[in-house]
């Protein structure tokens, strides 16, 4: 998704202009749209024409309409998004108040206006427009003296660092210069990993090389992690996966991603964090029910959910928004859509509230 323009006032009213660039962007757009929003986009309209002789015909013209959103229809299989609403701006082809359907298209911009842009929606835009937020796979493709660190998104690979260090050949009776150069090389690659990989987003780091370069690097990496007490590396050690590549050049990434073992490992990285969170919740619900709570249908309005999200974040909690198109989101929907793992057990939280108790709080 590309953010072309953003104009949001202090009262959180305003508009943004976006351009969807890939199918996944339609899913983000679907989540941005709400009934009552104003949507401006290019669309096709069938219009009637009358000639000088009085004969009536029809033609299809492309025009720009602005509608007040009334119905949102998302086809998850085809990633097609249709928005129905009434025209709210004068147009030579469409009368004010006329009903029209706009089908949003890839690589065609649209402008969305809201009376209130809440924090959840703004986070969604940031996530959709920042390619690094989609890159839940990273890869270090290396050979002696050369390493390419890339982030992998559903649509592209982003080169984040290229490390080149001259490695002298081993000499008879002395390997000191060779070993020192290798250590400088491994150190530079380690620093690139720490600088460019967001371990909160990335679920898997592929380390690939011909021969044993990858194995020697990983041995160095975690030896240094222990020596330096690098908790971020030690805690994320299970995310590293060693694979073979024919070289340390970026083009070798294609063969790596076609490896069946890699494909199996990456098959669900995008929602791995959400799946783990839901598993933790169900375990908590089974073993410590006083620390696991889920919502009810009467927590209905979006504004209450937004306040809940903001309050949790303000108090240092973690909020995960699940995709309803993933199995983890489907499971959460069975619990009425919202669930929480508490820091402390609250035994009577699920008891019915007594109206009279509010006077004592």
């Amino acid at each position: 998704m590309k953010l072309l323009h953003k104009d949001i006032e202090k009262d959180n009213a305003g508009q943004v202009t976006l351009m969807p660039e890939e199918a996944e962007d339609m899913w983000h757009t679907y989540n941005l749209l709400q009934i009552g929003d104003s949507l401006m986009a290019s669309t096709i309209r069938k219009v009637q024409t009358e000639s000088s002789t009085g004969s009536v015909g029809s033609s299809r013209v492309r025009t720009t309409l602005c509608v007040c959103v009334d119905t949102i229809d998302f086809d998850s299989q085809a990633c097609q998004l249709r928005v129905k609403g009434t025209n709210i701006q004068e147009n030579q082809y469409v009368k004010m108040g006329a009903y029209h359907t706009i089908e949003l298209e890839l690589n065609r911009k649209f402008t969305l206006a809201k009376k209130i842009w809440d924090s959840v929606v703004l986070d969604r835009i940031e996530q959709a427009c920042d390619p690094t937020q989609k890159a839940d796979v990273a890869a270090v493709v290396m050979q002696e003296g050369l390493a390419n660190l890339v982030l992998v998104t559903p649509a592209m690979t982003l080169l984040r660092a290229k490390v080149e260090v001259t490695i002298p050949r081993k000499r008879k009776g002395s390997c000191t210069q060779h070993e020192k150069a290798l250590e400088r090389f491994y150190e530079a690659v380690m620093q690139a990993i720490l600088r460019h990989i967001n371990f909160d987003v990335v679920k898997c780091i592929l380390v690939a090389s011909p021969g044993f370069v990858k194995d020697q690097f990983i041995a160095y990496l975690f030896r240094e992690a222990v020596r330096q007490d690098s908790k971020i590396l030690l805690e994320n050690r299970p995310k590293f996966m060693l694979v073979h590549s024919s070289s340390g050049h970026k083009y070798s990434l294609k063969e790596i991603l076609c490896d069946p073992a890699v494909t199996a490992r990456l098959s669900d990285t995008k929602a791995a964090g959400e799946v783990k969170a839901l598993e933790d919740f169900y375990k908590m619900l089974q073993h410590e029910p006083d620390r696991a709570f889920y919502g009810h249908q009467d927590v209905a309005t979006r504004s209450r959910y937004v306040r809940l999200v903001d309050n949790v974040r303000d108090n240092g909690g973690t909020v995960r928004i699940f995709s309803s198109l993933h199995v983890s989101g489907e499971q959460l929907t069975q619990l009425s859509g919202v669930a929480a793992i508490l820091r402390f057990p609250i035994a009577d939280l699920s008891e019915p509230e007594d109206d009279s108790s509010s006077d004592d709080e």
Side-chain angles (χ1 to χ4, degrees):
M1 186 88 80
K2 185 178 291 185
L3 177 62
L4 302 177
H5 181 71
K6 182 179 179 182
D7 182 18
I8 298 178
E9 304 295 335
K10 291 182 179 179
D11 62 355
N12 288 331
Q15 63 185 32
V16 298
T17 301
L18 298 162
M19 182 184 292
E21 297 177 303
E22 57 188 74
E24 188 179 2
D25 291 338
M26 290 302 181
W27 165 244
H28 287 299
T29 304
Y30 170 64
N31 282 276
L32 292 174
L33 288 165
Q34 294 173 256
I35 306 301
D37 290 348
S38 298
L39 176 69
M40 180 183 291
S42 173
T43 185
I44 299 293
R45 180 76 177 186
K46 187 176 181 180
V47 297
Q48 287 190 334
T49 56
E50 185 174 346
S51 68
S52 56
T53 60
S55 61
V56 177
S58 65
S59 62
R60 294 168 64 82
V61 297
R62 181 168 287 279
T63 184
T64 298
L65 288 184
C66 184
V67 301
C68 179
V69 177
D70 180 64
T71 305
I72 306 163
D73 179 28
F74 180 62
D75 183 342
S76 60
Q77 299 301 316
C79 277
Q80 292 181 335
L81 184 56
R82 296 180 182 87
V83 181
K84 297 179 181 179
T86 50
N87 186 35
I88 56 175
Q89 284 189 11
E90 289 286 349
N91 186 282
Q92 67 182 104
Y93 300 113
V94 185
K95 295 179 181 179
M96 285 283 289
Y99 211 62
H100 186 79
T101 299
I102 294 177
E103 184 169 321
L104 296 180
E105 303 174 17
L106 293 179
N107 301 309
R108 196 175 293 278
K109 67 180 182 180
F110 66 87
T111 298
L112 180 63
K114 291 178 178 286
K115 295 178 181 178
I116 296 179
W117 288 87
D118 60 51
S119 61
V120 172
V121 177
L122 292 174
D123 282 351
R124 169 75 66 173
I125 290 178
E126 184 176 347
Q127 176 189 352
C129 295
D130 181 1
T132 63
Q133 293 298 311
K134 303 176 186 179
D136 53 1
V137 176
V140 180
V141 188
M142 62 195 310
Q143 63 191 47
E144 275 200 3
L146 172 66
N148 287 280
L149 190 155
V150 299
L151 299 179
V152 183
T153 76
M156 67 189 82
T157 56
L158 306 168
L159 179 64
R160 281 293 174 257
K162 185 175 184 178
V163 178
E164 291 183 282
V165 174
T166 302
I167 310 292
R169 292 182 178 181
K170 293 181 181 180
R171 294 181 179 178
K172 284 186 178 182
S174 176
C175 299
T176 304
Q177 295 301 316
H178 177 83
E179 290 174 355
K180 284 185 177 179
L182 268 182
E183 190 160 310
R184 287 197 306 271
F185 172 57
Y186 292 153
E187 169 67 18
V189 177
M190 181 178 77
Q191 293 305 321
I193 288 173
L194 291 171
R195 188 178 306 115
H196 295 287
I197 293 181
N198 182 348
F199 286 94
D200 291 333
V201 175
V202 171
K203 305 298 189 298
C204 181
I205 303 106
L206 304 171
V207 181
S209 79
F212 295 100
V213 177
K214 61 185 181 302
D215 307 87
Q216 293 165 357
F217 168 68
I218 286 294
Y220 171 89
L221 180 69
F222 289 106
R223 187 168 62 245
E224 284 297 297
V226 171
R227 188 179 70 82
Q228 299 177 21
D229 192 26
S230 175
K231 292 182 179 178
I232 191 166
L233 285 175
L234 295 173
E235 290 173 357
N236 288 280
R237 185 166 188 163
K239 294 181 180 180
F240 287 82
M241 179 182 182
L242 301 183
V243 292
H244 172 79
S245 69
S246 58
S247 78
H249 296 281
K250 185 184 172 184
Y251 62 74
S252 294
L253 184 62
K254 184 176 181 180
E255 70 183 66
I256 296 165
L257 296 176
C258 292
D259 185 320
V262 173
T263 304
R265 173 72 181 268
L266 302 186
S267 61
D268 203 27
T269 54
K270 193 160 187 63
E274 285 75 6
V275 172
K276 176 66 165 58
L278 198 61
E279 287 176 355
D280 290 346
F281 175 78
Y282 276 113
K283 287 178 183 176
M284 190 69 69
L285 192 63
Q286 183 177 1
H287 299 294
E288 295 185 66
D290 289 344
R291 286 182 58 202
F293 284 86
Y294 54 89
H296 302 277
Q297 291 294 346
D298 59 355
V299 189
T301 64
R302 180 185 178 86
S303 61
R304 291 190 64 185
Y305 279 108
V306 172
R307 288 198 302 271
L308 176 64
V309 167
D310 291 340
N311 287 337
V312 170
R313 287 174 174 164
D314 289 344
N315 286 282
T318 300
V319 177
R320 294 183 183 274
I321 299 177
F322 289 58
S323 167
S324 61
L325 296 183
H326 190 272
V327 63
S328 59
E330 293 175 357
Q331 284 183 276
L332 187 59
T333 302
Q334 295 172 9
L335 297 177
S336 303
V338 61
I341 296 176
L342 308 182
R343 289 177 180 151
F344 308 102
I346 304 179
D348 59 349
L349 189 60
S350 58
E351 297 296 324
E353 292 185 4
D354 186 346
D355 293 339
S356 62
S357 65
S358 60
D359 298 332
D360 300 327
E361 294 180 352

